[in-house]
Amino acid sequence: MDTRKLKYFLAVVDHDGFNRAAEHLLIAQPSLSQTIAGLERDLGIPLFHRIGRRVVLSEAGKELVGPARLVMRDLDAAQSAVQALRGVRSGRLDITTMPSPGIEPLTSMVASYTRSHPSVRLNIGAAFTPEDVIEAVRNGNFELGLAGSHEPIRVPGVNVLELGRQPLILIVNPQADRFGSGNAIQREDLAGHRLIASQRGSLMRWLVDDALARGVDTEIVVEVAHRTSVLPLVLGGIGHAVMPSSWAPLAQKSGLRTLVIEPVSYLNVALLSRLTNLTPAAQSFLAVARRSARVD
């Protein structure tokens, strides 16, 4: 087994088939097919199931994805370390993030990072739970991961850099703003209002469900999986939304009012990484994150 075969294998995985992978690699499709067949012979087991013109990963293929990414990333790290000695600052950095930390602090950290490392290309993927982030970092799909949780994140085998806490706020539907002129409300003040809620499992949904369980007569009118829909729905007059404070600047720029919900609940935000063998690009991003944490 050699790294070229692993690179081709991951290209087929990432581009959902041989044709697109071959186009990405700038090679002929038969050549790619022969290389994958050679890798399967090396391992003695099929990595893909051929279904008509489609291919899907076999169980063995699924097991190979994580280790293959680690091998390729470690190779990139070795190349980057040598290049750094020649003053070359390039490469790729893979980061996965949950939605709210993906607004802030990710935006500020990326802005700072790209100013000092303009030749590094960032690939930012999506995760929806802290468990998604932890698994993505552990299996090598991503070097770094931004997660938010009700409690501070503590997980063995993964480095955790705490970046701060985001209080939960209410983004107010301007067509149903009956909250007075203050900057904060009590959870009981949600009674009689319609809410846009995240799916179960998020801290924001927990607050809404907790209010309902305590007898607050509020109504969930829309449940959203993709939080990019939240602000347009509030602007459309559908309902209010409970979100972390990272959403406040965008909401306010859109002309929406935000209120702190008391008693205050916090989203604890952290940056996760492997304990060892980080690429220079990832190490530099961690340095930016540490400075951001100190400022906050």
Side-chain angles (χ1 to χ4, degrees), residues 53-129:
R53 294 185 176 182
R54 295 178 56 248
V55 294
V56 296
L57 281 167
S58 67
E59 287 303 311
K62 293 176 183 177
E63 289 296 320
L64 181 60
V65 171
R69 292 197 193 281
L70 286 174
V71 169
M72 298 307 298
R73 185 160 291 126
D74 287 345
L75 178 61
D76 288 342
Q79 292 173 335
S80 296
V82 173
Q83 290 172 346
L85 296 175
R86 306 198 328 252
V88 178
R89 304 292 181 182
S90 61
R92 165 178 165 147
L93 177 57
D94 297 315
I95 305 172
T96 186
T97 181
M98 292 173 61
S100 295
I103 294 178
E104 283 294 344
L106 181 67
T107 299
S108 295
M109 292 191 298
V110 167
S112 176
Y113 184 79
T114 53
R115 283 194 294 269
S116 55
H117 299 80
S119 297
V120 176
R121 180 164 63 92
L122 300 182
N123 170 47
I124 299 175
F128 296 96
T129 67

Side-chain angles (χ1 to χ4, degrees), residues 7-36:
K7 176 183 177 181
Y8 286 12
F9 165 73
L10 290 174
V12 176
V13 173
D14 292 339
H15 295 276
D16 297 319
F18 282 80
N19 288 334
R20 291 179 182 174
E23 292 174 1
H24 172 76
L25 294 167
L26 302 177
I27 62 172
Q29 192 271 336
S31 177
L32 174 59
S33 297
Q34 291 171 9
T35 301
I36 298 300

Side-chain angles (χ1 to χ4, degrees), residues 260-278:
V260 174
I261 303 171
E262 297 179 337
V264 179
S265 293
Y266 292 92
L267 184 72
N268 293 273
V269 178
L271 183 64
L272 280 57
S273 61
R274 286 192 292 167
L275 295 175
T276 59
N277 299 325
L278 289 177

Side-chain angles (χ1 to χ4, degrees), residues 168-190:
L168 293 192
I169 61 171
L170 187 73
I171 302 176
V172 179
N173 169 15
Q175 298 181 25
D177 187 353
R178 301 191 298 273
F179 295 111
S181 59
N183 296 320
I185 60 168
Q186 300 295 312
R187 294 181 189 178
E188 291 74 15
D189 295 331
L190 296 174

